[in-house]
Amino acid sequence: MIWWLENPTRARSERQSVADLAERVSWLKGVRWYLSDGAAFAVDFEIEHDCASIPLTMTYAEFHPNAPPMVVPRDGGRLSGHQYGAGGNLCLEYRADNWETTITGAMMIESAQRLIAGERDVDGPELPSAHAVSIGQSVRGSYFRFLLTLPIEERLKAIESAQSIEIGIAEKYHAETFTVTIAEINGVADARAWPAGIREMTKRGHAIRLPQGAAMPAAAQESIANLLGDLGLATLREQALAATGEMDLVLVSETEIAHFYAYDGCQKRYFGRSRILKVAAGSRLSDDYAILPGKSVGIVGCGSLGSKVAAMLARAGVRKFTLVDDDVMFAANLVRNELGAAAAGVHKVDAVRSRLIEIAGTIDVTVRRVALGGQESADSTDSVMSALRACDVIIDATADAHCFNFCAAVAKESLKPFVWGEVFAGGIGGLVARVRSGHEPEPQAARNQINAWCNAHGVPAPLAGISAPYTAPAESGGPLVADDAEVSVIAGHLARLATDVLTRPEASAFPVAAYAIGLRTAWIFSQPFETWPIELTGSEPWKVEQDPASVAESLALLRELLPTAFDGHDQSSK
């Protein structure tokens, strides 16, 4: 887009406003309009101040008037402290963060004149800076970063003057960036800047408190060695002067903390200084979620839906999982799965376990490569069901009727909450449901009610438990296929039901137990994102207490099976 061709009226207005300014003030000279490389609308001008002439160029943005022009020194030098480096554009009063389309180039030139005059007026007040730098901006181009938490900072500042203590350094390399944090100080583990358990390298280093008035050294071998010598740390000085070898030093002064490192490269030893990133304290989750690390979740099915639910629950704080699935990840699964291409050829449960560790660090994940409800040995099926019985909530993400039956049986027998979800064929929507003993009907009854509700709307439930669960025929003849976004919507609702069951077991935030969520105009859905609550009736406990006759019958059977185990001790005395 060439804005000045599409909007010539604005272009002429810009030229006229600058001409009016030149007539009105004496400090603006040498105005010359032209098209720069790439047909950008530009103007050269000079600002005269205190017998000096400062040549500048203003180049209009491609998206003008919706983006600000750029004003730079024409000689490519460093003109101001309010400038993005040598040759960079001046940080004026009108910038991207406060830009409005009513601001003109003439106003930009006036702002540049005020900046130059204000900085060169030695008797005037210091110009305020509105240049707020974000964390991301501050470390752009810096690929060695030191993450500093508040507890570690307090521990470092408590070191006595001129004292050196040994520390444990944790370092990881990710996305072409080396990141370092302190894992322990003097043998005492600290709250490191990332969770323990993720892939990292650990090494030893030293933290040194500088004496009062001592300045931070330059990131150079000689400067660091001289400082260590002045502090009487002869052994560390020799290490710094060595021709090869890694070295990590955290130096603490009255005003700052710095991390210096040495490493070998290209037949030379380099010293560098990491950029410090202070890690803010506090949680970004609701206080209700504080109990989740102590809860256990069983997820049956680690495909598109289950893998996403597992990741969401790990981010919510769950730290104990039992994952059940016999399937293997392939490249074709990448379009909808939480897993990446590196997992191709790996059992999904194993790959999801690795993904959860990547998200949360140290985490307790039991994996079972078993098809629950499939052609497995009775021992394997019984073992998986026992493992699920120990969980605080059971989640079925398979959309398989046989698997549902086994999960429902475990939930009913153990009185554990049961949550399940399905993505409807073609991604037209999905279903999420949860049942709790004493609040909703037992799982099989609940499923029957949901199917009856679907049938009552004139169309059988478009359940995903078919040969191609994410694909459905379209009127045009081509198939409708559920994509990652559509599966993620249903996964999010399913994960939210699970966190609700765990954090609010008696007083749910969801007034009904099941919901049909629309993502396309199809079936009962008149528009995307239409939600239908499904009322379930029946809240009796899923198990009734045995009556005395039933207990007596159980004991009689036990005596028949184990005749020598009782030795008459269970008989009533006469």
Side-chain angles (χ1 to χ4, degrees), residues 272-297:
R273 178 173 174 174
S274 300
R275 293 297 299 269
I276 297 291
L277 285 175
K278 290 195 175 184
V279 181
S283 172
R284 299 189 179 188
L285 292 171
S286 165
D287 291 342
D288 293 343
Y289 283 39
I291 67 170
L292 291 182
K295 298 295 184 179
S296 174
V297 174

Side-chain angles (χ1 to χ4, degrees), residues 205-256:
H206 288 83
I208 303 170
R209 181 62 186 262
L210 302 184
Q212 187 174 3
M216 283 288 178
Q221 186 177 41
E222 183 179 358
S223 298
I224 293 173
N226 288 341
L227 172 68
L228 296 173
D230 293 342
L231 295 176
L233 302 172
T235 302
L236 289 179
R237 179 179 179 276
E238 291 178 7
Q239 186 179 345
L241 291 172
T244 61
E246 291 189 345
M247 186 176 190
D248 284 83
L249 292 173
V250 176
L251 304 183
V252 185
S253 73
E254 296 173 284
T255 59
E256 60 181 326

